[in-house]
Amino acid sequence: MTDKKELLGVFDDVEEAIKAAEKAQKELVTKYTLEDRDRFIENIRKFAMEKMEYLAELELEETGYGRIEDKIAKNSGAVMFSQGTEAIPKNIYATDKGLTVEYYAPYGVIGAITPVTNPAATVVGNGIAAMAAGNSVIFNAHPNGKRTSAYTVSLINEAIIDAGGPENLLVMPRNPDMETLDVIMKSPVVKLLIGTGGPGMVHTLMRSGKKVVAAGAGNPPSIIDDTADLKKAAEGIYASASFDNNLLCIAEKEIFVLDSIFDEFVEELQKVGAYKLNEEESKKVTDLVVLSDEEGNKYINKKYIGKCTNVILKDIGIEIDSDPRIAFFETTMEHPLVFLEQMMPIIPLIRCESFEQAVEWAVQAEQGNKHSASIWSKDIDRVTVFGRAIDTTIFVQNGGTMSAFGVGGSGTNSPTIATPTGEGVTGPQTFTRRRRFCMAGGGNYLL
Ligand code: NAD
């Protein structure tokens, strides 16, 4: 199905891809209106929703990560709840001195780097937002998700062309690697780079000399305090930390629970279906999923990223018929999974003597990523204290971190949360540069 001939916007040569994207962008802004862009986006949503199941199957088959039903929900969110042209701001300054209008104009061709954990959603989300703002995009997809990304690029182009739009608004090299990335970073045609992934990628983009929107790694902590509705907190953590097997950068990765309600919270977690690892089991799981290099530095065993709990447990000799969405264990701040971004549904719970201790430890675990965090508490003063201390881009009270993206809370969807560079949840406005037109000398003042 992802046969060479059928893939629109996928090029053998990266330079050819950039040229095609440049031509497409010029056509977009000279021959088409904003209403046309809206029509293209509507058609993208229609085409993508029709292929949603296939897209999820392809993503799981290619990457080996996550769960089909969650991929369908995740990718549908990126398709249906991403922002279009309505999100492009404009500012108007009108006084008796004159009239000035500030437009949010496109950059031109944007270079986008996508993660293996989201090979479809990042193409859809970045693609719709960049195109809504009048740009074209060249994607350098993660090599281990390139077939899914290529299929998505092609599907979006097909939808745009079907709606009467130009070819190649989204392009990518067929075999993306560090060399194609280098060409994209050095191309004078590419005016903005947007990267979604880990710290190595962010570091590389930052050295390009171009403007960078960087969406980096996270390690989101959650605090459960003694005023929380523990049943709701257990349900919320179970749903959110387990989503797509904990692959998402926003997913809760370690939970700080106040001592006075720790045992009750554990019971509630078990009631909703989570598997409690005893001391011996948690040691075995840790040895399986955390590896050490020669210098003793710990890192995650990639074999278990995005795998289901029962698959991981099977490899330590625990056979279970059911499918618990997470397994959890009690531990201390010394445990490596408190600090490593595990991206698998094995969740450490840390018992805290006081709220102050929970805040201190959660801040340490987040490690200044400024990414995401949550708190389950009815005490607004505490929520404020934690929100100030943790200083993350996404901060949620009484909900899974996905709530800030419209799942159990309100918000728009985006697969790219620009954390180190500070743009936050990206959208069409992220892909714009501000231009001013001024009618001077009191021109056009009508009062
Ligand atoms: P990754 O860093 O391994 O790869 C991301 C992309 O960067 C890929 O296209 C990869 O080919 C490229 N890359 C990797 N190392 C590079 C380097 N040294 N120089 C240049 N490019 C490089 O990450 P991943 O495993 O694909 O994705 C998971 C990571 O992405 C997690 O850390 C997760 O938190 C993060 N993420 C962040 C967001 C966000 O919005 N902030 C969203 C999704 C994922």
Side-chain angles (χ1 to χ4, degrees):
M1 197 151 190
T2 50
D3 168 54
K4 196 169 169 174
K5 269 185 244 145
E6 294 174 17
L7 293 174
L8 307 173
V10 180
F11 290 76
D12 289 324
D13 180 40
V14 63
E15 303 271 12
E16 289 300 315
I18 294 172
K19 263 190 224 154
E22 187 183 21
K23 181 168 174 278
Q25 196 271 334
K26 286 206 173 106
E27 282 181 41
L28 180 67
V29 291
T30 53
K31 295 188 186 158
Y32 297 92
T33 63
L34 279 175
E35 278 178 4
D36 290 329
R37 287 185 213 165
D38 288 335
R39 217 182 51 251
F40 303 159
I41 293 168
E42 216 180 290
N43 220 32
I44 292 169
R45 298 200 208 280
K46 179 169 161 270
F47 272 53
M49 289 311 290
E50 280 168 10
K51 296 285 183 201
M52 201 42 79
E53 220 158 294
Y54 173 75
L55 208 49
E57 282 165 12
L58 179 63
E59 184 175 329
L60 181 60
E61 182 251 305
E62 186 180 18
T63 65
Y65 295 161
R67 290 171 175 264
I68 284 277
E69 66 279 14
D70 294 348
K71 290 197 185 301
I72 291 175
K74 177 178 80 172
N75 294 338
S76 301
V79 168
M80 296 309 294
F81 302 114
S82 51
Q83 292 175 289
T85 58
E86 73 286 351
I88 305 168
K90 61 180 113 32
N91 304 322
I92 294 166
Y93 308 92
T95 71
D96 55 359
K97 292 184 193 156
L99 173 75
T100 295
V101 184
E102 198 162 53
Y103 298 96
Y104 286 65
Y107 276 92
V109 181
I110 291 168
I113 290 78
T114 66
V116 63
T117 49
N118 263 342
T122 313
V123 170
V124 171
N126 289 180
I128 289 180
M131 196 268 287
N135 305 279
S136 60
V137 188
I138 175 148
F139 288 96
N140 209 62
H142 193 294
N144 297 346
K146 68 182 176 187
R147 280 196 293 130
T148 308
S149 295
Y151 181 81
T152 313
V153 162
S154 182
L155 188 66
I156 294 179
N157 280 318
E158 199 185 331
I160 294 170
I161 295 163
D162 179 73
E167 292 177 350
N168 298 320
L169 275 174
L170 270 56
V171 297
M172 65 174 268
R174 193 179 311 279
N175 291 307
D177 56 17
M178 289 302 149
E179 280 173 32
T180 54
L181 177 62
D182 201 49
V183 174
I184 293 167
M185 287 198 304
K186 288 187 178 140
S187 168
V189 172
V190 177
K191 302 294 184 198
L192 171 74
L193 295 169
I194 178 157
T196 312
M201 179 274 302
V202 172
H203 188 64
T204 304
L205 295 198
M206 293 287 197
R207 284 181 314 196
S208 67
K210 286 197 156 75
K211 169 152 181 175
V212 173
V213 174
N219 188 41
S222 183
I223 291 180
I224 321 284
D225 87 357
D226 49 1
T227 68
D229 181 325
L230 297 182
K231 185 171 179 293
K232 281 194 183 149
E235 286 167 357
I237 293 288
Y238 188 66
S240 189
S242 70
F243 188 77
D244 215 13
N245 286 341
N246 195 257
L247 274 189
L248 299 197
C249 55
I250 57 168
E252 296 82 350
K253 297 207 163 43
E254 58 283 333
I255 319 290
F256 298 89
V257 188
L258 263 58
D259 181 37
S260 56
I261 45 97
F262 191 96
D263 296 339
E264 203 184 327
F265 178 67
V266 163
E267 272 173 37
E268 293 295 343
L269 260 186
Q270 286 179 288
K271 272 191 219 160
V272 291
Y275 185 92
K276 183 177 176 221
L277 295 160
N278 64 31
E279 211 179 321
E280 191 194 338
E281 290 168 341
S282 70
K283 275 194 186 122
K284 281 189 184 167
V285 170
T286 306
D287 290 343
L288 185 76
V289 304
V290 180
L291 304 176
S292 293
D293 66 15
E294 282 163 8
E295 275 115 51
N297 299 313
K298 310 268 188 219
Y299 62 95
I300 293 294
N301 184 349
K302 284 197 174 166
K303 184 177 167 194
Y304 295 100
I305 289 181
K307 292 288 182 285
C308 291
T309 306
N310 49 17
V311 172
I312 300 171
L313 293 187
K314 194 168 172 219
D315 281 4
I316 59 158
I318 303 172
E319 297 264 3
I320 35 174
D321 295 337
S322 61
D323 179 21
R325 288 179 62 95
I326 62 171
F328 68 94
F329 59 99
E330 181 179 348
T331 190
T332 62
M333 280 301 277
E334 280 67 48
H335 197 279
L337 287 185
V338 175
F339 291 93
L340 293 173
E341 191 190 15
Q342 67 269 49
M343 293 189 282
M344 66 183 77
I346 305 291
I347 309 295
L349 256 60
I350 300 98
R351 193 186 286 266
C352 305
E353 273 172 21
S354 64
F355 173 72
E356 290 70 24
Q357 185 171 66
V359 170
E360 189 188 329
W361 285 352
V363 168
Q364 284 175 25
E366 213 276 327
Q367 298 162 78
N369 290 321
K370 296 202 186 288
H371 203 298
S372 303
S374 70
I375 179 166
W376 293 82
S377 171
K378 290 180 186 150
D379 183 335
I380 191 64
D381 290 341
R382 281 184 172 176
V383 175
T384 308
V385 165
F386 183 40
R388 285 193 180 143
I390 196 84
D391 197 22
T392 45
T393 307
I394 307 297
F395 180 54
V396 174
Q397 176 191 4
N398 294 333
T401 44
M402 290 193 301
S403 309
F405 299 83
V407 184
S410 52
T412 54
N413 192 295
S414 168
T416 298
I417 303 132
T419 39
T421 49
E423 290 79 2
V425 179
T426 57
Q429 68 284 4
T430 315
F431 299 93
T432 57
R433 39 187 279 272
R434 285 159 81 167
R435 299 184 62 202
R436 274 190 184 190
F437 166 69
C438 171
M439 201 176 270
N444 213 26
Y445 188 68
L446 302 181
L447 293 185

